Amino acid sequence: MSTPARKSRKVTAMTTMTPASAAPVDPADSTADWSAVCPLDVLPVEHGRAALLPDGSAVALFRLHTGEVYAVGNLDPFSGAPVICHGIVGDRDGVPVVTGPLGKEVFELATGRCLDDETARLPVHDVRLTGRVIEVSARRNTVETLVG
Amino acid sequence: MTIPQHSEAPRKLVVVGHGMVGHRLVEALDSRDAERQWEVTVLAEEGRPAYDRVALSSCFDGADESALRLPEHDPERIDLRLGDPVRALDREADAVLTASGERVRYDALVLATGSRPFVPPLPGSTAPGCLVYRTLDDIDAIRTAAEESTTGRGVVVGGGLLGLEAANALRLLGLTTHVVEMAPHLMAVQLDEGGGALLGRMVGELDVALHTGTGTKQVVTDPETGAATGVELTDGTFLETDLVVFAAGVRPRDELAREAGLQVGERGGVVVDETCRSVTDPHVWAVGEVACVEGRTLGLVAPGYAMAETVADRLLGGEARFPGADTATQLKLLGVGVASFGDAHATTPGALEVVLNDPVAATYGKLVVSDDAKTLLGGILVGDTSGYPLLRPLVGSALPADPSALLAPQSEGGGATGAGVAGLPDAAQICSCHAVTKGELTEAITGQGCADVPALKSCTKAGTGCGSCVPALKQLLEAAGVEQSTALCEHFDHARAELFEIVAATGITTFSQLVAEHGRGRGCDVCKPAVAAILASRDSGTHILDGERGGLQDTNDRHLANMQRNGTYSVVPRVPGGEITPARLIVLGEVARDFGLYTKITGGQRIDLLGARLEELPAIWRRLTDAGFESGHAYGKAVRTVKSCVGSTWCRYGVQDSVGLAIELELRYRGLRAPHKLKAGVSGCARECAEARSKDFGIIATEQGWNLYVGGNGGFTPRHAELLASDLDHDTLVRTIDRFLMFYIRTADRLQRTAAWLENLEGGLDHLRAVIMDDSLGICAELDAAMERHVADYRDEWRGVLEDPEKLARFTSFVNAPGTPDPAISFAVEREQPVPVPGPVSLGMPEVPAAEGARAR
């Protein structure tokens, strides 16, 4: 896989979506706390895995066939169970999604938005590759920060 | 008299008789009488509540009595008194007297007493051994007589509808069966000579001996015992028999009415007007076979139902009128489809008959048309009756196509060529069981948004009776522009069965290639597991977690365990047939104890260990595989269990080794991936302790072998499995199940259990039988080979994981902390066992958004 993984989510994209939250966010994001979680190659394509972050929370990591890597919160907001990483990855109208394995609710990987319930959302984490190692941002863009 | 509306106190309705029509009347009235205008008392002669008399012969074909029972009335509202027949009417006092001496007053009285079998007054016709065919008690008597028969032969007098039903019963009881019919051919009322001849030929092929054009002279009796020993026919033939069933017509049970001075018809029956009200007494009504309407009585249930509906409406102040007798019939007699409708005998002056008689294909069709050949008047179909639902509503209407085209063999889709239901007038009745017109159905589709057949069924009741109009319902949906899409999802335009054929034809073995060449996008939670299952069904040798297949698997398959509400898993090892040694049972207990697992016995005779964390699964399974356990596939759309009773080995009643067979079948089919889960059962005798008839395939032992039932279901929509074949020997049984499973896997829709599959299968059980037992499609060799491949290639999936480090790596909690238990999972304790913390786990973390909304779902 030579295509470099790119950030799953750009801060600019977020500010476009929710201007209200733009002010407190530094677009340069230089203070983000990055954690190296695993080499890219141990992540199977379109088969999620969970990774533990230093604060004890977990993200679900997904590597797509295009090479993109996404990280979203691993807790299923509907059941409260840490299972999002076990969801099936696919697309809705070409947009990458994961389906919650317990209730089959569909979430957009890039935004965390739930397509079945607009009040639910997965937190999303920025992802970058350093060498062949996946690094995940500790910053979680929660509903609270998005909607103020 | 007019029926007063909304009187203060409820009025008393007394219904005499609780047959099918009486039952329908009560149901119809009760469902509409929202203001409780009527207090209903039903006085019935039989000790049983109403049952489906039309399906009586199914009692000999595996059905039990409970399957015939009609829906129960609400006992709070309907006072149903069984076994207390009315003995007299006191019309002066508006009251009836019952056998138990009770006097019940009425404001309205409905006679629904039906009719009695007519036994011709021949010498010996009332001798012991002479029976009739009408009630469940009659059925019991026939069964007993057949068991005690020394001649092994039964004679049915009467070759009409009832006679052939009775003949089928005798045949199923194992007797050599003879039918005696005075008319030159069978079913003389409904069929013409050509149709009757074909029916006779087909019935003859079932080893039923026919004696047509001859009467019965006498029943010969034993001078000592007085019991029947034979039947002498008017043509001189003597048939030695100790069982004679008279099915030579019925007579209305109008004696109550006669004695009470109500007017009765020339040939019996309470004379009623077009509202089914007695012409003598406005407080008295009559429905069903006891009513004489338009100068005659009617022996069919459909007009009886129409009368019941009419009276129910009138009692509630409605304006309904009996729509006139529709004597159209469609039924299966001894497996032969027969339909007759409208002016079947071409009695209309100038009527023309167009006949298509194909003795090779064993079909006979006749349409009766007006002298200008423009209007359909009636018709007869024998053999292939698939055109009936479309032709019958056309009676009285202009023909949409040339008559011979309408009779031509059916097109693939099942609709008569050119006779689209769309061309029917709105008033045409599509469902004759529930009197639903095309207009009402169209309104349900366009006005109430019914988008599929199940919606139409629940909205209008159409198709819930005999089901023969279901193809017409589909056509109406199509005609209304409701897209009956069979596309799996947005990524594939194909139905599951089509994808199966594509995979079979192309040999494609990966989802990526299939979606690239035959679909679009990257798939989703619908198509990925469906394709994964298709690939697995075709290739049991490849592990379901191999390569990219792991990512296709749904929640449970993905980790070969069932994910529970808190993200932990349950472990269910296979316990074939439910038989387990104490040593293995102890291993299960030890594993559960050592890993702190909640333990429960399942409904499928095995043991469920719940609460395992993902990273514990390999260690648990290493212990289990070392002790000889294998995956139980409780997580898969696959064969689950074959439940069994202890069978002849231990049970005093068992006639076959049900445990041995259950183990053999469970091991044979273990790991077989299917469109949905598959459950099975084997009972060692007719007591059915293994509840095999609630399974996808169920086997019940007989003295001679095994009866095979298919398409049963517990769960959301319970359904009894239907008898596919009787008294099979072991090898035939296994081969038939092999083919049943493989045919299901090949043709069913995604997540369609065998019950729904069978219900939707064109041609139903008969078609299934033809395909897998008579090889009508010529695919049995393929089905057999597919099952042989599966049996040869099966490997335990859990062993496959334990032997493969790459797969094992996925059974870890975190990619960067493989052994760390997920801190988001915690347990409470209930009755000394660990259980998930109730409700959505509240972790106090900000990233669980909108928990309130989530809970509200």
Side-chain angles (χ1 to χ4, degrees), chain B residues 712-791:
Chain B
N713 205 351
F716 191 66
T717 314
R719 180 183 193 269
H720 268 135
E722 293 177 81
L723 183 67
L724 182 70
S726 318
D727 294 331
L728 299 176
D729 61 59
H730 170 274
D731 292 356
T732 312
L733 173 74
V734 173
R735 191 172 64 239
T736 308
I737 302 171
D738 284 358
R739 293 172 178 176
F740 165 71
L741 292 176
M742 279 301 174
F743 187 49
Y744 162 66
I745 286 170
R746 192 157 152 173
T747 57
D749 218 340
R750 167 187 169 267
L751 298 186
Q752 188 177 39
R753 290 288 295 271
T754 56
W757 170 71
L758 195 53
E759 272 178 10
N760 287 313
L761 192 66
E762 296 265 345
L765 197 62
D766 290 328
H767 177 63
L768 177 65
R769 211 176 269 135
V771 172
I772 66 175
M773 301 193 75
D774 307 331
D775 202 8
S776 63
L777 298 180
I779 59 168
C780 283
E782 285 172 43
L783 301 177
D784 292 345
M787 188 59 85
E788 272 167 41
R789 253 196 329 272
H790 163 74
V791 173

Side-chain angles (χ1 to χ4, degrees), chain A residues 49-50 89 91 93 101 104 119, chain B residues 490 522 528 554-555 812 815 850:
Chain A
R49 297 298 314 275
V89 181
D91 76 276
D93 284 332
K104 305 291 179 197
T119 66
Chain B
E490 67 177 74
R522 288 300 297 172
K528 279 186 166 180
D554 212 345
T555 313
T812 52
V815 67

Side-chain angles (χ1 to χ4, degrees), chain B residues 448-529:
Chain B
Q448 300 176 49
C450 293
D452 51 23
V453 171
L456 272 183
K457 280 183 173 178
S458 67
C459 184
T460 64
K461 281 188 161 180
T464 58
C466 70
S468 67
C469 63
V470 169
L473 300 186
K474 283 186 192 154
Q475 289 196 15
L476 273 179
L477 284 161
E478 276 161 25
V482 178
E483 201 180 329
Q484 297 285 292
S485 174
T486 55
L488 198 56
C489 64
E490 67 177 74
H491 304 100
F492 288 99
D493 294 333
H494 315 83
R496 181 195 169 276
E498 292 164 342
L499 278 181
F500 190 98
E501 295 304 326
I502 289 173
V503 170
T506 59
I508 288 175
T509 58
T510 66
F511 178 83
S512 293
Q513 190 187 350
L514 187 68
V515 76
E517 292 177 11
H518 298 275
R520 64 183 78 83
R522 288 300 297 172
C524 64
D525 60 304
V526 171
C527 59
K528 279 186 166 180

